Amino acid sequence: MTTPLAPGCASTVDDTPVSAQVSRELTETAATVFGWDELRPDQLRAMEQLMAGRDVLAVLPTGAGKSAIYQVPAVLIDGLTVVVSPLLALQHDQIEGLAASSAPAAVAINSAQRVAERDAAWSAVRDGSAKYLFVSPEQLARDDVTDALATLGVGLLVVDEAHCVSAWGHDFRPEYLRLGGVVERLGRPRVVALTASAAPPVRDDIEARLGLRDPCRVVAGFDRPELRLTVDRTADDDRKRLAVVERVRELAAGRPHRGLVYTASRRDTEYYAAELTVHGLSAAAYHAGLRATQRRRVHEDFLAGKIDIVVATSAFGMGIDVPDVRFVVHAAVPESLDTYYQQIGRAGRDGDPAEVDLWYRPEDLHLQTFLTASRLPEDAIREIAGVLRGSATPVTPTELGRRIDAGPARRTRALNLLEQVGAVASDGTAVDWIDPDLDTRTALERCREAADAHQQLIRSRVEMMRGFAETTGCRRQFLLGYFGEQLTEPCGNCDTCAAGTACRHPDADGPTAVNSPVRHPRWGHGVVMSVEPDRLTVLFDDVGYRTLDAEAVRTHGLLIADDGVTGHRNAA
């Protein structure tokens, strides 16, 4: 384990008691099998609750050792451990890490394998020689894969990057929504959901969509005080490019000073990598357009210290455990603070100071708005409605796939939207049209409204990114507030603190305290995410993030307390 954690907190205080013997078995397994002399309190607590039979949601920073939470108990829990992981590179890293220990064997099943490799993996799982199986959510969407696993006795299901299951999550992936049904089809094994960034509403959504039973939440603080946060604003793209190269040269001086440079496009990764190489730095580009062998080589060379700087799109970084990354530079503004937080979390994992620089042009946010937009799968919705409404019995996902033209991604998104608006229901094995009075046109309109609401949430995240880049207050206060964590004093380690423009936040309490449920007369129910002297940020269910003037809230009573259960309301 490498990175010291901030003090942890948890929403569940009534942990199931476990014996001293269970705790001892966990710590001894960690030491003898994995070579870890000690476990952090958050890790051990999550493991203990898994051993007690409870589901677990763990929200821990990048580099906090989330994988250990399932790797150690898996040795002690009967049955197969299935790990749902979204990226093949991430699966590869975790399998290699297990292979370097004395842990039981780990295999993966994915679409990139040859038939012989896939058959060998299945054989290892069936004969019990493999204890860990890594799959993508797309693999688990296949009936044959899930049916095969259901016969093998799954003891633990791990959902990595669990924020992807939530429509509130910044990296929402429709395939993840099917995992709740998969849990039931596998015989309801223990479930552990892992993520590095999930605000309180996302945590609630993860638990609901995965159907977690009496879950134990393990949530560590989001603050990374060793990271110095800086934003450089520029209006001219050519000048920005020159300045970014010069800044990276400055940060990389006195090598080995390894770092990451994030860009918004594949073309820019190639540009910056070439420019840095011309100036004598060891740099390489990484993006999804490269061949798999090229991506693997860059990945492995960076881990081995053969490359000092990787210039990448957001495709690079998941699972990267390099303790001495001394800087992260964003050559373009990310699409959300969630993405920004995850990417900067790859710096300073050894606890030593690291620099985080964001180069900001307001025009870049228009690009991100374009990149995050997605079209409604109208044709797929119509086709699915036609098949299901014309069928007297529920239809299996496999049969549905054969009868419509849409590809898997559009089909899954269309199904999710239809399920979201109450048109269809799925138990993981079959899909049924549940409202006989609902016609296709009305269902399509409801899906369009739901998709528009999600797009509005995405746009609100872009605006929060703009607010972070343009604030004159303490940047760390702003960033932590986005995740529902209050920092009353300026951090003293960001550019606005250095400039003297940051100020103390109020110790807010009452109906508008951080994490309080509230209701707005126009935007409905929301949760207060941060409180500043002149503004409040609220995450609303229907319209996403909104920043409200504090004086207007007080003067006009714009927010009232909303417990969401009893209907009790108190004016703020």
Side-chain angles (χ1 to χ4, degrees):
M1 306 286 106
T2 54
T3 305
L5 274 177
C9 62
S11 60
T12 304
V13 295
D14 53 340
D15 287 356
T16 300
V18 297
S19 67
Q21 180 181 351
V22 169
S23 300
R24 187 163 53 251
E25 286 179 342
L26 288 167
T27 55
E28 289 176 354
T29 301
T32 59
V33 177
F34 297 94
W36 300 325
D37 294 334
E38 62 178 358
L39 295 170
R40 297 183 180 120
D42 285 329
Q43 291 173 318
L44 181 58
R45 176 169 172 258
M47 294 177 191
E48 289 172 341
Q49 294 307 296
L50 274 179
M51 296 300 295
R54 290 181 65 179
D55 294 339
V56 171
L57 169 62
V59 185
L60 302 177
T62 301
K66 290 185 291 296
S67 297
I69 289 173
Y70 74 82
Q71 289 175 346
V72 175
V75 178
L76 304 173
I77 293 174
D78 291 336
L80 180 68
T81 291
V82 176
V83 184
V84 184
S85 183
L87 296 179
L88 298 186
L90 184 54
Q91 295 179 20
H92 177 75
D93 288 346
Q94 295 185 357
I95 290 173
E96 281 200 339
L98 287 166
S101 70
S102 300
V107 296
I109 295 174
N110 58 61
S111 58
Q113 291 172 318
R114 301 184 183 91
V115 174
E117 291 176 308
R118 194 176 304 118
D119 289 345
W122 274 116
S123 295
V125 168
R126 290 190 177 102
D127 65 23
S129 59
K131 181 71 170 177
Y132 305 87
L133 173 63
F134 289 80
V135 295
S136 68
E138 291 82 5
Q139 285 288 316
L140 282 186
R142 294 178 48 179
D143 287 342
D144 57 333
V145 173
T146 305
D147 290 343
L149 290 176
T151 67
L152 297 177
V154 175
L156 179 62
L157 179 68
V158 182
V159 182
D160 203 3
E161 306 297 334
H163 57 273
C164 297
V165 81
S166 171
W168 292 106
H170 65 286
D171 195 18
F172 171 64
R173 301 190 184 191
E175 299 81 8
Y176 268 76
L177 282 182
R178 314 255 63 90
L179 294 180
V182 169
V183 172
E184 299 300 327
R185 292 177 65 183
L186 295 181
R188 206 58 189 73
R190 280 169 273 200
V191 180
V192 56
L194 305 171
T195 180
S197 59
V202 179
R203 299 168 206 166
D204 294 340
D205 211 15
I206 291 171
E207 291 178 356
R209 292 184 182 276
L210 291 179
L212 301 188
R213 300 165 302 181
D214 184 29
C216 169
R217 284 191 188 181
V218 180
V219 183
F222 283 85
D223 194 10
R224 293 285 306 280
E226 70 275 13
L227 303 183
R228 185 175 188 276
L229 309 180
T230 301
V231 176
D232 297 278
R233 183 166 180 171
T234 177
D236 183 84
D237 187 58
D238 290 337
R239 291 181 180 177
K240 182 193 75 170
R241 290 173 180 273
L242 292 172
V244 167
V245 171
E246 187 57 35
R247 178 58 173 156
V248 174
R249 291 179 63 193
E250 176 186 333
L251 291 170
R255 290 189 302 168
H257 267 188
R258 292 200 281 175
L260 301 173
V261 179
Y262 283 101
T263 71
S265 69
R266 299 175 182 181
R267 179 181 296 179
D268 277 352
T269 67
E270 304 282 357
Y271 167 80
Y272 284 111
E275 286 294 310
L276 294 172
T277 301
V278 166
H279 285 90
L281 299 178
S282 173
Y286 185 105
H287 57 75
L290 297 175
R291 293 193 299 273
T293 54
Q294 291 175 290
R295 295 198 303 272
R296 190 178 306 115
R297 186 181 305 114
V298 173
H299 190 156
E300 292 173 353
D301 285 350
F302 186 68
L303 293 178
K306 297 178 182 178
I307 295 174
D308 290 335
I309 301 167
V310 173
V311 186
T313 60
S314 58
F316 183 82
M318 277 190 180
I320 295 297
D321 190 7
V322 178
D324 61 342
V325 172
R326 296 271 66 88
F327 63 88
V328 172
V329 172
H330 283 90
V333 63
E335 79 280 359
S336 72
L337 283 169
D338 309 76
T339 298
Y340 174 78
Y341 179 81
Q342 279 201 331
Q343 291 172 348
I344 68 174
R346 286 148 198 160
R349 290 166 75 159
D350 53 7
D352 290 341
E355 296 286 333
V356 173
D357 282 14
L358 167 65
W359 292 82
Y360 170 64
R361 292 174 67 240
E363 294 81 2
D364 290 342
L365 286 171
H366 298 307
L367 172 63
Q368 290 298 347
T369 301
F370 172 76
L371 291 175
T372 54
S374 57
R375 295 178 59 189
L376 181 73
E378 291 190 23
D379 291 344
I381 291 171
R382 289 194 181 95
E383 289 187 64
I384 290 171
V387 171
L388 295 181
R389 296 183 74 242
S391 176
T393 59
V395 178
T396 67
T398 301
E399 175 64 18
L400 192 61
R402 283 197 294 263
R403 294 176 63 180
I404 70 173
D405 293 332
R410 287 178 65 79
R411 184 170 69 247
T412 299
R413 182 159 186 260
L415 271 173
N416 289 337
L417 284 168
L418 285 166
E419 191 167 359
Q420 184 179 339
V421 302
V424 306
S426 171
D427 62 0
T429 62
V431 186
D432 192 18
W433 192 271
I434 59 174
D435 187 349
D437 296 326
L438 181 64
D439 58 45
T440 300
R441 176 180 294 180
T442 304
L444 180 60
E445 186 56 37
R446 291 181 183 177
C447 288
R448 181 177 289 108
E449 291 173 357
D452 287 346
H454 185 60
Q455 286 298 310
Q456 194 166 29
L457 172 62
I458 291 172
R459 286 191 291 271
S460 78
R461 286 201 187 96
V462 172
E463 289 308 309
M464 290 300 293
M465 192 69 235
R466 186 194 306 277
F468 173 80
E470 296 183 357
T471 186
T472 58
C474 173
R475 296 203 194 279
R476 185 167 274 100
Q477 286 178 323
F478 192 106
L479 182 61
L480 295 180
Y482 179 81
F483 292 106
E485 195 169 304
Q486 190 80 352
L487 183 67
T488 57
E489 299 291 340
C491 72
N493 196 28
C494 69
D495 56 344
T496 53
C497 282
T501 58
C503 59
R504 187 181 187 279
H505 280 193
D507 294 315
D509 54 16
T512 57
V514 172
N515 292 330
S516 297
V518 293
R519 180 166 294 275
H520 187 277
R522 177 180 174 190
W523 296 322
H525 176 267
V527 176
V528 177
M529 304 305 294
S530 69
V531 179
E532 301 176 59
D534 60 341
R535 72 189 76 181
L536 296 87
T537 297
V538 182
L539 175 54
F540 291 101
D541 292 353
D542 296 329
V543 297
Y545 291 90
R546 288 290 185 273
T547 299
L548 308 178
D549 180 82
E551 182 61 32
V553 169
R554 288 189 294 268
T555 302
H556 303 292
L558 294 180
L559 295 178
I560 56 175
D562 186 351
D563 59 23
V565 178
T566 65
H568 180 64
R569 307 287 187 263
N570 292 313

